[in-house]
Every structure is written in C-alpha cells, then in structure tokens.
Amino acid sequence: MTDTGAEVDRRVGEAWARIEAGLGRVLPSSLRQLNAPAPAPAIDAVEAALATTLPPDFRASLRIHNGTNPGPTLPSAEPSPVPLTNLCGTDEIIELTRMWHDSHDPEPEWDDPQVWAHLVDTKMLCLNGPVRPIVGAPGTVVVGDLNGDVKWLLDGDPAPGGTPGQVVRVDVECSSWDVLAPSWTELLVRYAEDLTLFAVDPDSSPLTIDASMGPACEWGSTPWVAWGTRPAWLRDVASRNPYL
C-alpha cells in the first residue's frame, strides 16, 4: 500500500487509463505530452514549498503523470491532451501557485457574499458551484494553466457546501469561477467519460476538440446564457451594490 492508500491509487490509475484510451481514439498525437511520473521527493517538495498538504488523489495522479508538456513552442506543434495549455508538473505548481498568491489583494468591501450576490445578479460575475471568487486566495493551489488566462485550482477553502480539494476553473478576465468536480479523481473520471462520449458521438459530448489544438478550454465553464443564476450557497444572501 502506498502513502495514499491502495483504493485511491486504484481509482486514479483507472481514471488515467480511461483518459489515455480516449485520447488514443480522438487525439493520439497528444499522448506524447503526458509526462512521466513524479518522484515522491518532488511531490513532497511541493508541499514543503507551499506549506500545504496536497489531496491524496492528486499526489497519486502526479505519480502517474507529472503534468503535461506542450513543448518549446507555443502554440504547440501537437494538440494538447487537456483543455488547457498544460497541466502543471511539480515545479510549475510551485511557481504558478506562488505567483497566484502574490496577486492576492484583500478587499473587505468587495470580498463579501453580499457583493458577490449583486455581481452575479447583474451578470458581472459567474459563480457555478460553492466557490469564493477571491483572486490569489491563500487556500488554493494552481494545477493547470492556459497561457496565464485560465487556471485550474485545488480549492482548500471552499464556500459552504463545497469540498476541500475541489477543482475550480477560473477565468479572471471573464470573472468566471466554475467548480469542475468535488475532487481530482472525479475530475479525471468526468474528463474520461466526456472523451469516450466524444469518440462515439462528438455532437453529444460537452467537449469541443480541434484536431490541431486539442480540447477547447471552455470545457466545464458556464455558458453566457446561464449567467445571472446564483449558486445555492448564495441564494438567500441579501445583495449589496458596492458602487453605491
């Protein structure tokens, strides 16, 4: 048994096997971007550098693939295997998480559920799921990136109803925060299922895949027509207009 437990390892390993099988059917050339496993000391170094504890299933995932590597040129010569430029390897997790935390600028007048409720109501902010829209929040770890514009985070301090370790897609420029899955394992399973569906019936899959670029980064994001709907945890919060 590994330090994460045999059952966690099994589920993560099965999810990755399904993803690789799906990619083999729809984007076989992208498989070369999947990195080799990360050694345990490199994973431990992430936790030490960021003073955090990574979820066991994410540690297990790094021991299968230490992120992805698009190569030396952007755009990459090959399609991405994920709806991002890349999943972060251990070194990138440290670097990008530190940069993300450095952008944190506490604003008590704005970091307020009442203000978030107003911004959601007026379609200035999209919150899909139990996530607090705080840029650079200390309780987050960056695990995926799209050219610095879109990030995937492990959220250690979710809003009420959320799960520590949930995976959040953040597009700061578009003010969009979407909980993709309650855990890393469930994210991998969701992606595997959507890849399988795309291989069978592309029109029915939530994925949009370009043969030269890979999956579109919008996977898991909220369509504009659905903006303006509060998540359950904000439903009964009185709104406050911060501009008044």
Side-chain angles (χ1 to χ4, degrees), residues 139-160:
T140 52
V141 175
V142 178
V143 297
D145 179 69
L146 176 76
N147 299 331
D149 298 322
V150 175
K151 301 186 187 306
W152 283 6
L153 310 174
L154 299 180
D155 183 4
D157 184 25

Side-chain angles (χ1 to χ4, degrees), residues 203-224:
D203 291 338
S204 65
S205 174
L207 283 165
T208 300
I209 297 180
D210 181 281
S212 61
M213 299 295 292
C217 73
E218 287 81 9
W219 181 71
S221 64
T222 303
W224 171 251

Side-chain angles (χ1 to χ4, degrees), residues 23-38:
L23 290 171
R25 297 175 69 182
V26 300
L27 284 174
S29 61
S30 73
L31 289 167
R32 289 190 287 269
Q33 292 191 29
L34 297 175
N35 285 335

Side-chain angles (χ1 to χ4, degrees), residues 75-122:
S76 175
E78 299 169 340
S80 173
V82 292
L84 295 162
T85 304
N86 63 293
L87 292 180
C88 298
T90 49
D91 290 342
E92 287 177 303
I93 291 172
I94 295 171
E95 178 185 1
L96 294 185
T97 300
R98 284 174 169 168
M99 291 174 62
W100 174 251
H101 290 169
D102 286 345
S103 68
H104 183 50
D105 183 18
E107 297 183 278
E109 283 298 308
W110 287 81
D111 296 339
D112 179 347
Q114 290 186 319
V115 172
W116 299 335
H118 170 80
L119 296 178
V120 170
D121 291 345
T122 55

Side-chain angles (χ1 to χ4, degrees), residues 48-72:
L50 300 178
T52 191
T53 300
L54 296 171
D57 60 346
F58 187 70
R59 286 185 60 100
S61 182
L62 288 172
R63 289 200 303 273
I64 295 172
H65 291 299
N66 188 19
T68 65
N69 184 358

